C-alpha cells in the first residue's frame, strides 16, 4: 500500500476533468425576465420586477421562475404542480398571451427582449401570478361536469361505439387551466359570462351518447351569460395548451341550443 | 421599472377583427342616427335640407364618406364571415383564411369606390 500524496493530486484532477470532459459545455444564454408583481400587504399597486438570468436550451419559463424563487427572491409567488403540462396550475400571460409556463421553452421566445410574465386576466389577483380561481370553478360546477345516466346501472361498462366516442374526444382533453376563459375579451368585461372552459366541459357531456342531461346543460348555457356571449374572437382556441378547438366546441353547443329549441 | 400598467393582450386576427367589427358597427349606427335626422329635414324645410346635404360635397366630407363606406364594407364582409363561422360546420377551421378574403375584398371594393368617388367629386358631381 503506497501512501498517496493527496493534496497535490486532487485539484489537478478536477481541472483535468473540466478540460477534457468530452461532453462539451452545455450552451447557455442570458435572458431578462420581467414579472408583474402584486402584494397587497405592501402596496395596492402592481409593479414590474426584473432579473437577468443565465438559462439553458432545455429550460422553460417555469424554470426561470423557479430560479428566481429558489435562488434570488423567495417571495415570488406562482402556482405549479406537475411541471409537465398535465395539472393546469400554471397558466399565466407570457409576452402578452396566455400560456402554461411549464410548456413554453425559453429558446422559442425572443430572448433579445425581456420576457414578460403577468397573471391571467379577468380573475382577481391574490398575489403576484396567483389569481382567485373560484369564479372560474363556479361556472364549471354549474354546467354539471359529470355523467348523468337515468337507466339502471349495467353489470359491466356502458358500451359506446368508437364513432360516438369520437364525437366529444376533443373536449375530454381539458385540464381546467383557465387559459381560454381568461383570454376572452367578453370575460374580462363581464365576469358573469360562463366562459369557454365551462362550455368546453359541457360539450364533453352534451355530445356523449351515454349521458342523459344534455338538455339541462343546454338550458343552463342558453342563459344570457351563456353561449350567446361568445363573439368568436378565437383567443381561447389560440390559448388552449391542449390544442382543443375551443371556439368550434362553443359553436357546436350554440347550434345544439338552436336545434333543440326548434 | 417605471412601467406600472400591464400589457395589452396579444390576440391575433380573430380578436382584432372583432374589435373592428364592433367599432364599425357602433360607428355605422351613429352615422345612421344623424343621417335619419338630416334626411328627415326634407319634410320640415326643403331649403334647409339642401343646405345640410350640400355639406356632403365638401372635400372633408369626401374623406369622411370614404371612411364610412370603408367601415360598412368591412362590417358587411366580416359579418358574412361571422355568419359562416356560426353556421358552417368547418367555419371555425377556416376563420383566418376567411379574414384574409374579407381584407382582400375590402381592398378591391375600396379601390373601386375611392376612384369613382374622387372622380365624381373632381367632375363637380355632374349628374348629381
Ligand atoms: C351590411 C350588412 C350587415 C351585416 C352582414 C352585418 C352583420 C353583423 C353580424 C353577423 C354581427 C354579429 C357579430 C358577432 O356575432 O360578433 C353584427 C354585429 C353588429 N352590427 Fe352589423 N351587420 C350589417 C349592418 C350593420 C349596420 C347597418 C349597423 C349599424 C346600424 C350594424 C351594427 C352592428 C353592431 C353595433 C353590432 C354589434 C357588434 C358586437 O357585438 O361586437 N351592422 N353585424
Ligand atoms: S379548454 Fe384548454 S385552455 Fe380552456 S381550461 Fe381547458 S385546457 Fe385550459
Ligand atoms: S405545472 Fe402542471 S400544467 Fe404546468
Amino acid at each position: 500500500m503506497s501512501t498517496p500524496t493527496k493534496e497535490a493530486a486532487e485539484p489537478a484532477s478536477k481541472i483535468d476533468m473540466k478540460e477534457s470532459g468530452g461532453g462539451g459545455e452545455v450552451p447557455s444564454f442570458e435572458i431578462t425576465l420581467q414579472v408583474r408583481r402584486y402584494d397587497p400587504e405592501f402596496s395596492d399597486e402592481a409593479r414590474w420586477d426584473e432579473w437577468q438570468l443565465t438559462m439553458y436550451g432545455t429550460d422553460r419559463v417555469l424554470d426561470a421562475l423557479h430560479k428566481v424563487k429558489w435562488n434570488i427572491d423567495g417571495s415570488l409567488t406562482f402556482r405549479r404542480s406537475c411541471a409537465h403540462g398535465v395539472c393546469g396550475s400554471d397558466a399565466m400571460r407570457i409576452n402578452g398571451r396566455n400560456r402554461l409556463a411549464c410548456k413554453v421553452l425559453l429558446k422559442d421566445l425572443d430572448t433579445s427582449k425581456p420576457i414578460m410574465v403577468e397573471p391571467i386576466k379577468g380573475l382577481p389577483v391574490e398575489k403576484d401570478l396567483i389569481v382567485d380561481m373560484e369564479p372560474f370553478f363556479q361556472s364549471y360546477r354549474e354546467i354539471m361536469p359529470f355523467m348523468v345516466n337515468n337507466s339502471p346501472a349495467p353489470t359491466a361498462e356502458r358500451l359506446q361505439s368508437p364513432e360516438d366516442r369520437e364525437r366529444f374526444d376533443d373536449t375530454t382533453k381539458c385540464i381546467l387551466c383557465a387559459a381560454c376563459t381568461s383570454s376572452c375579451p367578453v370575460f374580462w368585461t363581464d365576469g358573469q359570462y360562463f366562459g369557454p372552459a365551462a362550455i368546453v366541459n359541457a360539450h364533453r357531456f352534451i355530445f356523449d351518447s351515454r349521458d342523459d342531461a344534455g338538455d339541462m346543460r343546454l338550458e343552463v348555457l342558453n342563459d344570457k351569460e351563456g353561449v350567446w356571449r361568445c363573439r368568436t374572437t378565437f383567443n381561447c382556441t389560440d390559448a388552449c395548451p391542449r390544442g382543443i378547438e375551443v371556439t368550434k366546441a362553443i359553436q357546436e353547443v350554440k347550434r345544439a341550443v338552436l336545434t333543440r329549441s326548434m | 421599472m417605471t412601467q406600472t400598467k400591464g400589457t395589452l393582450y396579444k390576440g391575433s386576427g380573430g380578436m382584432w377583427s372583432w374589435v373592428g367589427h364592433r367599432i364599425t358597427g357602433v360607428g355605422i349606427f351613429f352615422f345612421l342616427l344623424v343621417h335619419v335626422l338630416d334626411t328627415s329635414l326634407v319634410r320640415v324645410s326643403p331649403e334647409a335640407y339642401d343646405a345640410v346635404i350640400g355639406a356632403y360635397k365638401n372635400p372633408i366630407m369626401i374623406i369622411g364618406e370614404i371612411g364610412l363606406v370603408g367601415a360598412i364594407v368591412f362590417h358587411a364582409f366580416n359579418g358574412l364571415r361571422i355568419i359562416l363561422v356560426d353556421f358552417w360546420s368547418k367555419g371555425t377551421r377556416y376563420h383566418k383564411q376567411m379574414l384574409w378574403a374579407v381584407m382582400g375584398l375590402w381592398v378591391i371594393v375600396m379601390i373601386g369606390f375611392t376612384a369613382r368617388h374622387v372622380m365624381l367629386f373632381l367632375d363637380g358631381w355632374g349628374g348629381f
Side-chain angles (χ1 to χ4, degrees):
Chain A
M1 231 172 118
S2 61
T3 324
T5 45
K6 46 187 188 334
E7 287 191 8
E10 249 191 68
S13 91
K14 269 188 180 167
I15 291 160
D16 273 349
M17 274 172 72
K18 222 177 180 182
E19 282 174 349
S20 60
E25 210 175 320
V26 181
S28 66
F29 50 89
E30 302 297 309
I31 64 159
T32 305
L33 181 72
Q34 288 184 358
V35 179
R36 184 92 175 137
R37 305 204 54 187
Y38 169 71
D39 185 346
E41 284 182 19
F42 288 106
S43 166
D44 290 337
E45 294 280 316
R47 65 174 203 278
W48 286 98
D49 264 0
E50 183 177 303
W51 298 277
Q52 315 291 329
L53 304 168
T54 303
M55 305 301 299
Y56 299 90
T58 50
D59 284 337
R60 305 150 299 168
V61 172
L62 182 65
D63 298 301
L65 292 170
H66 277 153
K67 194 164 224 174
V68 172
K69 185 170 179 71
W70 293 340
N71 302 340
I72 306 172
D73 181 350
S75 73
L76 180 66
T77 308
F78 53 91
R79 282 195 189 99
R80 74 98 177 84
S81 180
C82 69
H84 291 84
V86 202
C87 71
S89 308
D90 61 343
M92 50 188 76
R93 212 142 61 88
I94 297 169
N95 284 348
R97 296 189 179 94
N98 283 0
R99 295 289 182 262
L100 294 181
C102 62
K103 282 192 80 171
V104 178
L105 283 169
L106 292 166
K107 72 175 175 62
D108 293 342
L109 299 173
D110 178 2
T111 48
S112 68
K113 294 206 203 95
I115 291 159
M116 303 180 87
V117 181
E118 293 160 88
I120 48 179
K121 279 169 77 112
L123 292 163
V125 181
E126 293 194 323
K127 191 180 176 191
D128 293 349
L129 300 173
I130 293 192
V131 299
D132 177 7
M133 298 279 280
E134 185 45 32
F136 173 82
F137 285 119
Q138 190 186 347
S139 295
Y140 174 63
R141 285 193 296 268
E142 274 174 39
I143 57 90
M144 304 188 288
F146 41 81
M147 171 92 70
V148 179
N149 190 305
N150 300 325
S151 54
T155 46
E157 298 92 340
R158 293 182 194 274
L159 291 180
Q160 184 171 48
S161 72
E163 294 74 36
D164 283 348
R165 176 61 178 72
E166 182 59 29
R167 183 66 194 83
F168 60 94
D169 185 66
D170 201 34
T171 45
T172 61
K173 298 185 279 185
C174 177
I175 55 174
L176 294 170
C177 66
C180 55
T181 296
S182 63
S183 76
C184 175
V186 177
F187 182 75
W188 303 333
T189 48
D190 172 11
Q192 296 300 108
Y193 170 40
F194 274 84
I199 303 172
V200 160
N201 287 280
H203 180 285
R204 185 251 169 269
F205 290 100
I206 290 167
F207 293 97
D208 186 334
S209 60
R210 300 163 298 182
D211 185 89
D212 289 336
D215 276 356
M216 284 167 79
R217 295 191 190 88
L218 292 174
E219 192 79 51
V220 170
L221 291 174
N222 195 15
D223 186 82
K224 97 179 175 4
E225 302 293 352
V227 284
W228 307 114
R229 279 280 125 118
C230 167
R231 295 262 78 85
T232 60
T233 71
F234 288 90
N235 277 9
C236 51
T237 304
D238 292 343
C240 180
R242 306 303 320 266
I244 298 171
E245 291 181 272
V246 181
T247 312
K248 181 163 177 277
I250 297 173
Q251 298 296 72
E252 286 173 0
V253 174
K254 283 181 189 167
R255 279 183 238 133
V257 173
L258 285 181
T259 48
R260 184 199 58 133
S261 56
M262 277 197 267
Chain B
M1 288 298 292
T2 47
Q3 190 185 3
T4 52
K5 276 282 205 57
T7 66
L8 200 65
Y9 194 88
K10 282 221 180 60
S12 51
M15 178 171 110
W16 292 112
S17 70
W18 164 73
V19 171
H21 199 85
R22 176 160 290 186
I23 291 172
T24 53
V26 173
I28 299 165
F29 173 77
F30 280 105
F31 165 75
L32 281 180
L33 201 69
V34 174
H35 193 49
V36 166
L37 290 178
D38 67 32
T39 306
S40 59
L41 259 182
V42 75
R43 300 188 52 113
V44 183
S45 142
E47 294 76 35
Y49 173 81
D50 283 346
V52 172
I53 295 299
Y56 281 91
K57 293 189 176 174
N58 137 344
I60 294 174
M61 290 303 272
I62 298 299
I63 295 170
E65 277 176 311
I66 293 171
L68 175 68
V69 170
I72 294 170
V73 171
F74 173 79
H75 191 93
F77 284 145
N78 193 54
L80 298 176
R81 169 182 163 269
I82 295 168
I83 291 169
L84 285 173
V85 168
D86 285 339
F87 292 103
W88 175 35
S89 59
K90 293 204 173 74
T92 51
R93 294 232 171 116
Y94 294 103
H95 77 100
K96 283 182 187 152
Q97 289 88 331
M98 291 195 288
L99 184 57
W100 282 112
V102 166
M103 293 192 287
L105 287 169
W106 186 86
V107 169
I108 293 167
V109 171
M110 288 315 287
I111 289 174
F113 172 77
T114 308
R116 182 172 157 79
H117 201 60
V118 171
M119 222 105 85
L120 282 174
F121 167 69
L122 296 176
D123 285 354
W125 304 104
F128 277 84

